[in-house]
Amino acid sequence: MSKNLYHVLGVTKEASDTEIKSAYRKLARKYHPDLNKDNKEAAEKFKEISCAYDILGDKEKRKKYDNNEIDCDGKPTGYGAGFGGGQYAGGNPFGGGTYTYSGGAGSNFDFSSIFGDDIFSAFSGGDARGFRGFGGASSRRPSKGDDLTYTMRIDFITAALGGEKTISLNGKNLNVKIPAGTTDGQTLRLKGLGAASMNGGANGDVLITLNVDKHPYFSTEGNNVLLELPISVKEAVLGAKVTVPTISGKVAVKIPPYSSSGEKLRLKGKGIKNKNGQGDEIILLKIISPKSPDSELEKVLGNMKDENIRNF
């Protein structure tokens, strides 16, 4: 039974081009002969995954393969199978020197398109600038280093006002600037601070996912900060001056007489300030009845005339 090239690379048929390339890179590093001296099985595996990527890494070939127009060796269906007698010229096929692979699906495979020309020198110390694909043309294609990921927890106030945190990643201390108005799950990118390239390309980036802790009484809506403010029956009826928290400190607020639960007060400019503008703090009033019986309050309320406050 003919092998399945997607299974060779350990991906599904629905895998994206990026996923296929990533899978190939991992396998190629694992089975590279310079890391598996005198291991024939590793050499065969390396050749197999290289041939698989030669087809699946090429959009036109992959389309033909998916449509059964070519087989797993890149040959038109009905014309046989196998590796096609491909061979590497120049002695040891994986040592330093000039590489030319001929025949089979890998006849025009360019390793530098994945790793850059220094892949072989990175493994064996040899000069891989002579590595050649079909037609003897050499190329240098530096590839970007891998991105590194990190998850950081921050408190609500730091997320709202912005700040700076220090993290340790791969033995390095990095200062991370938290922008004001950061939301839970937001990702920051530190360009060029990721893994180094294998062949002289640009460094990868550091991707930091921020998890924002919930606050005991604040929440946000865009750049506005929301606060539910409990008030007593007395404060609601007679009005009052109370102290409330904001993300930048405490302020005094006047509760208008005869306030109702659900009414809102707005503190201009006390919300989040960032590139998207300046928010406010929105205070939602919530009347709280006494927790214990109060005979005087009951007497006063009992003497109040009934008022129709419902319209249904």
Side-chain angles (χ1 to χ4, degrees), residues 196-256:
S197 169
M198 294 179 61
N199 63 342
N203 288 354
D205 303 329
V206 174
L207 304 178
I208 302 177
T209 300
L210 300 174
N211 293 333
V212 180
D213 292 331
K214 291 185 178 299
H215 196 275
Y217 36 84
F218 287 134
S219 60
T220 59
E221 187 177 80
N223 276 7
N224 290 333
V225 174
L226 310 181
L227 171 69
E228 187 177 85
L229 179 63
I231 59 174
S232 67
V233 174
K234 179 180 179 179
E235 289 172 330
V237 174
L238 300 181
K241 186 175 183 180
V242 300
T243 300
V244 300
T246 72
I247 59 174
S248 56
K250 294 182 178 182
V251 298
V253 173
K254 288 185 178 180
I255 307 297

Side-chain angles (χ1 to χ4, degrees), residues 33 55 71 84 96 174 230 277:
I55 293 176
D71 61 16
L174 303 178

Side-chain angles (χ1 to χ4, degrees), residues 40-309:
K40 293 182 179 180
E41 291 183 2
E44 285 300 317
K45 184 68 174 177
F46 184 74
K47 184 166 63 173
E48 183 181 41
I49 61 178
S50 297
C51 290
Y53 183 75
D54 181 50
I55 293 176
L56 300 185
D58 183 292
K59 290 185 178 180
E60 290 300 321
K61 290 181 182 179
R62 182 181 179 183
K63 182 178 180 181
K64 290 181 179 181
Y65 176 74
D66 289 344
N67 292 334
N68 294 319
E69 296 177 28
I70 60 175
D71 61 16
C72 60
D73 300 304
K75 296 178 180 178
T77 53
Y79 287 86
F83 280 97
Q87 61 182 359
Y88 287 88
N92 177 6
F94 298 111
T98 300
Y99 302 85
T100 304
Y101 182 78
S102 60
S107 59
N108 63 346
F109 187 79
D110 182 4
F111 284 88
S112 65
S113 68
I114 301 298
F115 298 106
D117 292 326
D118 292 337
I119 177 62
F120 292 98
S121 60
F123 284 120
S124 61
D127 183 1
R129 287 176 295 176
F131 180 79
R132 302 174 187 274
F134 180 76
S138 63
S139 63
R140 296 187 62 82
R141 300 180 186 175
S143 57
K144 180 183 174 183
D146 291 335
D147 291 338
L148 303 180
T149 59
Y150 188 90
T151 300
M152 177 193 297
R153 298 203 68 85
I154 58 175
D155 61 87
F156 180 92
I157 298 299
T158 298
L161 295 177
E164 189 169 299
K165 297 284 186 180
T166 300
I167 65 172
S168 180
L169 189 63
N170 284 357
K172 296 181 180 180
N173 289 330
L174 303 178
N175 291 325
V176 181
K177 291 185 178 180
I178 312 298
T182 292
T183 56
D184 186 56
Q186 184 173 331
T187 298
L188 303 180
R189 181 183 293 271
L190 306 183
K191 295 188 69 66
L193 296 181
S197 169
M198 294 179 61
N199 63 342
N203 288 354
D205 303 329
V206 174
L207 304 178
I208 302 177
T209 300
L210 300 174
N211 293 333
V212 180
D213 292 331
K214 291 185 178 299
H215 196 275
Y217 36 84
F218 287 134
S219 60
T220 59
E221 187 177 80
N223 276 7
N224 290 333
V225 174
L226 310 181
L227 171 69
E228 187 177 85
L229 179 63
I231 59 174
S232 67
V233 174
K234 179 180 179 179
E235 289 172 330
V237 174
L238 300 181
K241 186 175 183 180
V242 300
T243 300
V244 300
T246 72
I247 59 174
S248 56
K250 294 182 178 182
V251 298
V253 173
K254 288 185 178 180
I255 307 297
Y258 295 95
S259 292
S260 300
S261 282
E263 290 185 358
K264 296 178 180 180
L265 305 179
R266 182 182 296 268
L267 302 181
K268 295 288 292 184
K270 291 299 183 179
I272 295 168
K273 182 180 181 180
N274 57 21
K275 62 181 181 180
N276 297 321
Q278 173 73 65
D280 304 325
E281 179 168 319
I282 309 298
I283 299 174
L284 180 67
L285 300 180
K286 183 179 181 181
I287 300 174
I288 306 297
S289 297
K291 297 297 182 182
S292 56
D294 187 326
S295 58
E296 291 187 12
L297 176 61
E298 292 174 7
K299 183 178 180 180
V300 170
L301 294 177
N303 291 330
M304 291 179 61
K305 63 181 179 179
D306 293 334
E307 182 180 0
N308 185 14
I309 60 174

